[in-house]
Amino acid sequence: MSKLSYISPEGLRIDGRRSNEIRRLNMRMGVLNRADGSSYYEQGNTKITVAIYGPHESTTQKSLFDRASIKCEFAMSSFSTSERKVKSRFDKTAYETSTLIKQAFESTVLTHLFPRSQIDIYVQVLQSDGGLKSAAINAVTLAMIDAGIPMRDYVCACSATFIEGSALMDLNHMEERSGGADLLLSIHPQLGGVISINMESKVPQEMFESVLDMALAGCKKIYYLLQEQVKKHSKDLMSNQLVG
Amino acid sequence: MVIQSLSPSEIYFIQQGVENNLRNDGRTRLDYRPFELDIGEISHAVGSSRIILADTHILVGIKADISAPDPLTPNKGSLTFSVDCCPSASPEYEGKGADYINIELAKQLERVMKDSNSMDLGGLCIMPGKYCWNLYIDAIVLDSGGNLFDALSIGVRAALANTRLPTIRITQGEYSTVDFEVSDDPEAMQSLDIDGVPINVTLTTIGNQFVVDCSGEEEQCMDARMTIGVNKRGNICGIQKGGVAGIDAHTINQMILAAKQVGSEILKTMDNVLKDHHIATK
Amino acid sequence: MKIDFRVTNPIATSIPLDYKIYKQQQEQQKQNEQQQTISVPVTTTSEPIKKRTNRSEEQFRQIFMKTGVVSQASGSAYIEIENTKVICSVHGPRASPKTELFESAKFSCELKFASFARPGERIDYMESAKEKDLSINLRQSIIGAIRLEKYPKTVIDVYVMVLNDDGGVLVAAITAASMALADAGVEMYDMVSACSSICIRNQSISNGSNGSGSGNGSSGAAPKVQSSILLDPTLQEEESKDSLGCVVVAKMPSLNEITQIIQTGELSYNNTIDGIDLCIDGCDKIYSIMKQNLISSLEKQVSKKLE
Amino acid sequence: MEAFQKVHPLEFYKKFLERSVRPDGRGLDCFRKINISTGSIMTTDGSSFVKIGNTSVIAGVKAEVALTPTQSDNSISSNNNNNNNKMFVNVEMGPICSNIFSSSKPSEKAMSLCSQLNSLVNRLEINDKELYFDDQGKYSWYLYIDLYCLDYNGNLMDACVLAIMSALKNVKLPKGIVVESSASEAPQLFKDTEQPMRSLNIGTYLIPQTFVLLNDYLLTDPSLEEEKLSSGTISITFNDRFEICTLLYTGITSISEKILEQCLEKTKKRSTEIINLIDNCCTTINNSNNNNNI
Amino acid sequence: MTEKTTMTTQYLSEININIYTPSKRLGLMHHRSNCNINAGTSMQDVDVYSNKSNAKEEEMYDDENDPKTQFARNLVTPGTTISKEGEYLKGHGTFHHQGSLIASVSGVVDKVDKLVSVRAFHSRYQGEIGDIIVGRITQVAAKRWKVDCNARQDYILMLTAINLPGGIQRRRTSSDELQMRNFFVENDLIYAEVQAINGDGSVALHTRNQRYGKLMNGVLVSVPPALIKRSKQHAHTLDCGVDIILGVNGYIWIADSAQQQAQTQLIQRHEKDSYDQPLFVPPQVKQVSRESRQKIARVRNAIHILHTHYMLIHTRSIMEIYNMTLNMPLTDMLTPNKARQIITAVHTNIQERMGFKDDNEENDTDMISQFNHDTEMND
């Protein structure tokens, strides 16, 4: 591939964003009728819908006697990527993302309140333009809140990388394929705890600090937007009752 | 909530309701629930549509690529259908659960849309024998509230209406190689003629009456189901019966007549909606 | 993943075409050589329908049936409709591996084509969508006739193998399956007989454009095409370009209930209804043949036991 | 009587074997009724249906054309030597023939049988000229032999070998025409349907025979029950010059040469009978022969 | 059979199909969605947020007296700390973390002197002793039935907790255990009360009362439990002649009152004398006339409209919509924009009534005052 410069001299990226900006977010809650909680999450061109069933009677035997068990399934629709490839739900990347989501929410949801019950999370990717893992985690957070499942705090995730000497936030597909260091950070914004850090490629020590800070700032920004959306959604719900 | 399974008395109540032509939600036997249709929502796809029929929520995306045509039909493009009931529709579709339903839905669509040569596949051919368009029509069932067959076919027809294929110019290169350029300016887009594309009308027998567009709970007390493809010219483009019970010959003729009637009604209303969408998105 | 032990040929092989047809196409191409700028490679175009020599439009092909052909199966049947040969074996109500209680038996069907079954290139082994679709339709047609609640917590498996496909595969499979179930002694409301019919556009009237003729957008008006309805089509008739549409009907004759209707292709309302009526009385005829065969097979088995 | 057979099958059999007779009335050395019919499948170039007692197998041969591998390819091709594997055998034992097989995973019996038959089929001395598509031999025929077991009641090996022999005898190959069209496109291959079809003459006959050891009695042509109770199976295939093509022994107990000698003798004795069996089934060669004695 | 032919041909003519643009716009297509802040080209990012990246606990900037802000102050989302010191008691939807009380669900904060709890909008039902609920039997286990009540896990109905037919009181023998199936079978609907909540969170129900038991010949509608207001009486007979049971767990049962009375009398007569034979309900008792079916359908659609617009469901709100749509054909209530018109009309009615303040509501509080905490608690 010809040496595509990821950052133009004035500091703008390929899609016109500056290095510390996230893609446009567009979210809705309560999209599906039959699910207990559902959300539609759009970050740039990555579009995801999440449905949550639960906590309900656990069907399989692996129900835990003292807390709820969380099951997650991640599926990509065949028209999600540019070239059409039928991806079954059982390939490696799908499993990897679903376990990541499962672990993130096992530490967040107050599962001890529902012994011997089960929470099912179903993530469906409608269109993918990079940043799938972080978008999925944010979408599941919204769906959990819509389902009224008690949680310690939001789970906000953001990806960051280090290309051509500067740290960039919230990567799209092309930046992800650029081969730079790809870091995914998910945190509890208010309690301040870090839930998971995934970094695949090697990065010098000092660079790591700046990439981490960029990811942290990204998560905070996303948290602010998520909260904004939840408040707006709650106000809509209550508006009928309030105005009376 | 797990798929509602009904108690015998509820099933009896619904059957009585269908008997004197007043269903639980007030509809008569041949009434369709109001549904919402939106087209052109997925930017990656050449054509897409979204249909919400009460609780059923389906998203259809069409992608296209160019390849050598099937040697048996050198001057025709190809259509491939695939349906994916994702578990968000109901926990039952998790893991392998949805395989049979997906195949049945996809095969029914193929039988109605493809075998009845409703689409002029010749239009999809760029150069007979050498290059033609292959359309991959993928549907996702996000939420299932009964009557998947009809909603799917309406969604696919709307998505086909919304399809815009870049025009291709063929230039005769030297020593008989052929090169062609893809022009992607939005104006010179080639759209498909969906006039002949049929839609499904599913009639379900409950007791000894038959109903159209049955909801999730009515499907629980279904004896038999007949899905009939109808196109604008009033021809029958594909019939498939489902469900356990049998149907006697006389009812079948009536069902086909009713399907023709309801089908043409839906097609008429659908085409005006597509026209305004077309004007809106111009 | 299925480990594929099959012995495969590294060199890609293909089927030689018929020289006679090739010669005719060469002459035809020479006449209209001028307009044709890009040469169209010679392909196997399906020839128009040959008039039926041995039987009239409403007549069946010659049918041969035999039950009890597979000793290991609890019930089996072999059926030959002229050149369509199908063998079916039923592994009767047997314990189901799954433990949870279900009051009625689970019924599963599987249909497979032998790799030499169809003309043309050998089908390599793979679970094709066509086979799955036929299995679903087969199960749909038969399940209505079996008294499933008589066999709680059991599984009834029907396996059908198509040895030679010359049209009407689903019809042969349904008839063979219901004969095999009867042979296995499974309680049934009635045997299911099936029949197929096809609607052909008569050559003389058709205005040459394939597809549904001239009906352009005039909703409701059937295309002005003279068509006739043939019973029990062969593969050549089914796949010819003159065929407008095909109807398969499966029926329980004594209860007069239709358990399955499949119609493909684009037919006007009257053609569809005529096709269905033709199939319905076709089913009754086949039903009587099935009964005779079943009785004669049972007699043979009883007499063999007495010796 | 059935109860005793079900509860103690081995003693039940011992009682019979002492009087050198089998429960179904056959002697130790006599065979089940064999009948072979050919040409029943229209869409194949050659087919056969073999029924030994209750075991029945159907074989179909499809011939396809491709470039003849030149000498250079020949050297690297795998061990089987003559007519550099132009014939490919596949065996399918689906749930049709008995409930012990499932449609998903192929059974080991089918796999072992498939490899044995593949090596066996290359023992037939069919010289390359027979399989030439056109006169210069630039293209040649490749035969795909597919065997489907329709009823598994023991002694499948014999049934398969007989099925292959009769199917190959029934093969009809048309005369080939190669049309060299314009330089760029590959030459097109046609079959000349006017000229009569020529059949394949096969160098030798394969005479299969399977024995079973049941507590030191030697039984020929075992049924499924006998196979299950046996402690070892011996299967031998001769060609018509009594050279041994394959000799297989699988079993838990070891066997002495004496028993092997016995088996070889018995097979020799019976070979003439099998040869004319294969011949007379193929002499009634007429395409419309679809006798239905399945 | 002839009756059927006339039926179908007669109304084939007036089939009306109506298609709308979706009310819940997903806005998948980027630039056309109208809900984002500044409409720009799809790739241009919303940078209005970037400079607020260090938003601390931001203040509510609305003015004080507008009821919306007064309510908005109570709105919390998971993770927001409700009180720093720790003198409050932890109720539902909250948890302690390093001494401060933090909300775990997004909803409205209810402070009752020391007890703080947060009520979520959508959430599964949490059983409390004495709650009247409608449930569906999912499984017949040893000496108990498992009942699905839209709750976190299936509730348990013990064999000992039901009335034996004929009202006799005796210990349950093993023969009762064998005939459990002729009391309740899978998928049966029952009307029961929460008896006890055990230590491990599982909840026991009981039907030890003449009114409770199996529900037959009616329609079930399920709504989020938060929409059902907890009140003393849950089984009502609406003045339009329809019986309705507002289960606290969100399952609502609708049936025709005349038919239900005839049915209960028949069951009582059966209980008295022939309680050993199985109960047989003759068809004419099961019969529901067409008019009552229309009433039931109208009530069902009214509840559906209240549910989609997330309004509290109780007898008065249902009857409000019922009377308003009397002249409207039933199918119109299903169409989204007609439903919106009905809701706005309902709002204007309440507005006027609120303005006069003349009505002396019976103990059933009207919708607005319901939100100041003191009245709701003493319900």
Side-chain angles (χ1 to χ4, degrees), chain A residues 83-94:
Chain A
E83 86 290 342
R84 180 183 180 278
K85 153 151 78 50
V86 179
K87 286 168 277 304
S88 90
R89 294 180 199 128
F90 309 108
D91 64 2
K92 192 177 59 56
T93 49

Side-chain angles (χ1 to χ4, degrees), chain B residues 113-184:
Chain B
M113 301 274 182
K114 201 163 147 186
D115 299 351
S116 70
N117 53 51
S118 52
M119 275 270 298
D120 160 23
L121 294 176
L124 291 178
C125 171
I126 303 162
M127 215 186 79
K130 286 283 186 308
Y131 299 105
C132 71
W133 282 108
N134 295 334
L135 291 184
Y136 297 95
I137 298 167
D138 302 306
I140 311 180
V141 178
L142 293 172
D143 207 349
S144 95
N147 203 4
L148 286 184
F149 284 96
D150 299 12
L152 260 176
S153 64
I154 293 169
V156 167
R157 187 166 193 270
L160 284 171
N162 173 251
T163 311
R164 295 289 175 275
L165 293 174
T167 45
I168 307 265
R169 263 185 304 285
I170 305 166
T171 52
Q172 189 67 21
E174 51 304 324
Y175 49 88
S176 90
T177 59
V178 169
D179 52 19
F180 52 91
E181 331 87 31
V182 182
S183 78
D184 49 13

